[in-house]
Amino acid sequence: MDLDVAQVRAFVRAAEELHFGRAADTLAISQQALSKRIARLESLLGTVLFQRGGNGVRLTEAGQRFLPPARQTLAAADAAVAAAVGKDRPLRIDVWGHLYAPMRTLAQVAGRAGELLMGHGRDLPSVTAALLHGDIDAAFGRVHPPLHAGLAHRLVRLEPVDAVLSSDHPLAAQPTLMPDQLSGSVLQAPGALDRLDFLRRFADRFDIRNTATGVNLGLAHFLEGVADDPRSFSLLPADVPLPHIPGLRSVPLVDPTPLYAWSLLWRTGDEHTGLNGLTAACAAQARRSRWLEYDPAHDWLPEPPATAEC
């Protein structure tokens, strides 16, 4: 019996999502096409893999037995493709969170990580889709749940976050600020907060009830809006170079210091040799630059790290 890899991939995605619509989205196909692939696979196997009902779908006993070897089949197929393409090809890597300048960190390790080919990611969902489709090999940015089951990640850097505000803001003259002091100010966000996980969680944690959102037209345009409003503030990682904007001030945050977590993200089972070089370069730079220092008594993270190593 010859299995169709596309049908097996459709089954695995549906089994991980337990939702045909979401599974189809990750594969960039229609839900109808995904259903047809699974139906053909069930016909070939002569058994039902999913039980469909009003509350969604769930795996049958046959589906549960089929899932582990199906994942192994996909990993082997992906490895075969990588071998055919060649192990020496550049590591295709993408980034997201462009307003926070992720390339600052990658630039510090790129020279020791082998040949990298950069992509043009926009946000975590689009980068996730590119990884799952095999369009890229790795990605770099802030990871937050829910993370697709087919992906793995490793913490690279914890970067302190500053408040940026107008020089006319009542707190602008302070040498440092506690996040709680900003509760009466307006948090400016370059987009809807439900798509900006770090800013949303900061607002929830420190009782920032007033927010304002706009369109992300780049860092300079965004910060000009902050500088023009004496009621507003926003957040930026401390090492992000600020554009020269009159009336803008950056103030460190303390007690606690918010930390922005940068991570590498890749597809589970991807055996591109460049991944080992990239993760090793990140680990070495993290040790030199103390990128992974975290003190829960003085620092704040939306999700505390499970490990302090890259």
Side-chain angles (χ1 to χ4, degrees):
M1 181 184 298
D2 293 327
L3 293 176
D4 184 310
V5 174
Q7 294 172 6
V8 176
R9 197 178 301 277
F11 162 77
V12 170
R13 294 288 168 79
E16 291 170 345
E17 298 287 351
L18 290 180
H19 189 284
F20 279 19
R22 289 196 299 268
D25 287 343
T26 68
L27 292 170
I29 61 175
S30 68
Q31 183 172 336
Q32 182 182 20
L34 179 121
S35 297
K36 285 183 177 180
R37 291 182 186 181
I38 292 174
R40 289 168 184 158
L41 179 61
E42 290 176 324
S43 176
L44 176 67
L45 296 173
T47 188
V48 177
L49 300 173
F50 291 99
Q51 184 171 349
R52 301 154 176 85
N55 295 324
V57 297
R58 63 183 180 86
L59 287 170
T60 62
E61 290 185 8
Q64 293 173 11
R65 292 193 301 268
F66 186 60
L67 181 57
R71 283 177 169 148
Q72 294 173 2
T73 297
L74 289 185
D78 291 341
V81 171
V85 172
K87 293 183 178 180
D88 295 332
R89 67 171 173 80
L91 185 74
R92 301 166 301 171
I93 186 168
D94 218 330
V95 295
W96 72 98
H98 291 78
L99 203 68
Y100 289 175
M103 289 303 299
R104 293 175 300 116
T105 297
L106 281 182
Q108 297 185 54
V109 301
R112 300 183 301 278
E115 188 177 359
L116 305 180
L117 182 64
M118 299 306 303
H120 305 283
R122 295 164 295 167
D123 51 25
L124 180 54
S126 65
V127 168
T128 293
L131 281 168
L132 294 173
H133 298 160
D135 297 332
I136 56 175
D137 303 303
F140 181 78
R142 180 177 177 271
V143 171
H144 56 84
L147 187 63
H148 193 280
L151 300 178
H153 69 96
R154 173 172 284 186
L155 184 63
V156 169
R157 183 181 188 183
L158 298 173
E159 187 174 4
V161 169
D162 292 345
V164 287
L165 33 75
S166 167
S167 57
D168 293 328
H169 191 286
L171 300 174
Q174 299 294 321
T176 61
L177 289 172
M178 293 184 292
D180 288 335
Q181 292 178 266
L182 296 166
S183 61
S185 299
V186 178
L187 173 60
Q188 289 275 3
L193 277 184
D194 60 358
R195 298 185 61 189
L196 301 170
D197 182 81
F198 184 81
L199 292 181
R200 177 179 61 80
R201 289 175 180 255
F202 180 91
D204 290 344
R205 168 62 179 80
F206 297 105
D207 197 30
I208 311 295
R209 300 183 180 182
N210 299 315
T211 61
T213 60
V215 178
N216 183 0
L217 299 178
L219 184 61
H221 180 271
F222 173 65
L223 292 180
E224 285 172 359
V226 175
D228 287 343
D229 187 348
R231 306 166 303 154
S232 296
F233 77 98
S234 195
L235 304 176
L236 279 182
D239 287 346
V240 171
L242 294 180
H244 178 67
I245 297 175
L248 186 71
R249 175 158 165 70
S250 177
V251 182
L253 293 173
V254 297
D255 298 326
T257 296
L259 299 177
Y260 195 87
W262 297 98
S263 293
L264 280 174
L265 185 64
W266 65 90
R267 186 173 59 259
T268 304
D270 192 328
E271 298 183 0
H272 192 295
T273 55
L275 281 171
N276 293 332
L278 181 57
T279 54
C282 287
Q285 187 66 42
R287 288 190 294 270
R288 282 192 295 270
S289 302
R290 303 167 69 181
W291 274 354
L292 293 172
E293 290 189 352
Y294 170 63
D295 181 354
H298 299 99
D299 300 324
W300 174 80
L301 277 167
E303 303 95 19
T307 177
E309 297 185 7
C310 176

